[in-house]
């Protein structure tokens, strides 16, 4: 077999694998996929500016390429800043401001919002940790989520009783 035929066979095999991977996932079950929810809030550990805010859909503690993300503004807000009445998610906004919009495009109800990097506005020092908050969209009619060291503690707990015990002690 010539090298040209081997390349064609390899390309054909690759194309078949790609096409096979597209079917059978349940993605075409007739349910609409144009879900769009703007999540907003503020990050508090001293307010964290220029931090990465992301929706950790698989709860692995790091931002994967498919997970929605944004940045906090200079006051620690993401998606909406009530001090300046700026909605970063409004249609037609300047792309430089659109980077602060956390827009969830998948239909999930339970996930974790995580914060990485940024800097503390009180000290001016870089933030090297990670903060988090567990979210259940079905239980929260208000999509504004404050993320702090306390929400991070609660996120780390496995059951409701442990959460209640911690909150009672605080």
């Amino acid at each position: 077999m010539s090298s040209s035929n081997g390349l064609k066979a390899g390309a054909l095999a690759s194309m078949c694998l790609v096409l096979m991977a597209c079917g059978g996932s349940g993605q075409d079950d007739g349910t609409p996929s144009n879900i769009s929810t703007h999540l907003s809030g503020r990050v508090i550990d001293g307010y964290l500016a220029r931090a990465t805010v992301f929706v950790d859909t698989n709860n692995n503690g790091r931002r994967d390429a498919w997970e929605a993300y944004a940045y906090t503004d200079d006051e620690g807000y993401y998606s909406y800043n009530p001090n300046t009445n700026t909605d970063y998610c409004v249609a037609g906004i300047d792309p430089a401001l659109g980077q602060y919009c956390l827009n969830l495009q998948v239909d999930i109800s339970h996930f974790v919002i995580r914060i990485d990097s940024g800097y503390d506005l009180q000290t001016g020092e870089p933030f090297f940790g990670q903060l988090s908050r567990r979210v259940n969209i079905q239980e929260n009619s208000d999509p504004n989520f404050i993320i702090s060291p306390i929400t991070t503690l609660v996120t780390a707990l496995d059951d409701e009783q442990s959460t209640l015990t911690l909150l009672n002690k605080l």
Side-chain angles (χ1 to χ4, degrees):
M1 180 188 311
S2 73
S3 130
S4 151
N5 286 341
L7 287 175
K8 287 179 187 176
L12 182 60
S14 295
M15 189 182 316
C16 287
L17 286 173
V18 168
L19 291 175
M20 287 186 333
C22 290
S25 67
Q27 66 187 9
D28 296 326
D29 62 2
T31 57
S33 62
N34 57 351
I35 306 301
S36 181
T37 303
H38 303 293
L39 305 173
S40 61
R42 194 170 197 189
V43 182
I44 303 172
D45 184 31
Y47 300 117
L48 294 180
R50 307 293 181 188
T52 303
V53 182
F54 66 97
V55 177
D56 191 0
T57 57
N58 59 359
N59 199 21
N60 66 353
R62 63 179 180 269
R63 188 177 71 80
D64 296 305
W66 64 85
E67 293 174 328
Y69 73 97
Y71 300 99
T72 58
D73 66 11
D74 289 336
E75 296 180 31
Y77 290 101
Y78 57 98
S79 294
Y80 178 75
N81 185 327
N83 294 336
T84 62
N85 198 28
T86 305
D87 183 350
Y88 299 119
C89 298
V90 69
I93 195 155
D94 179 348
L97 296 177
Q99 69 180 332
Y100 306 122
C101 175
L102 183 58
N103 189 18
L104 183 61
Q105 293 285 337
V106 294
D107 186 15
I108 57 173
S109 59
H110 296 79
F111 53 88
V112 176
I113 299 176
R114 295 193 189 276
I115 311 303
D116 282 333
S117 65
Y119 66 91
D120 186 314
L121 288 172
Q122 289 179 316
T123 65
E125 295 293 320
F127 177 74
F128 294 110
Q130 186 176 78
L131 298 174
S132 58
R133 177 175 180 155
R134 192 172 307 280
V135 173
N136 182 343
I137 290 289
Q138 294 171 341
E139 292 177 1
N140 292 318
S141 59
D142 182 12
N144 291 302
F145 300 103
I146 300 296
I147 300 162
S148 71
I150 292 176
T151 64
T152 303
L153 277 173
V154 172
T155 299
L157 299 175
D158 291 341
D159 60 78
E160 189 173 333
Q161 185 58 44
S162 297
T163 301
L164 291 174
T165 301
L166 171 69
L167 293 176
N168 283 330
K169 291 191 184 230
L170 291 176

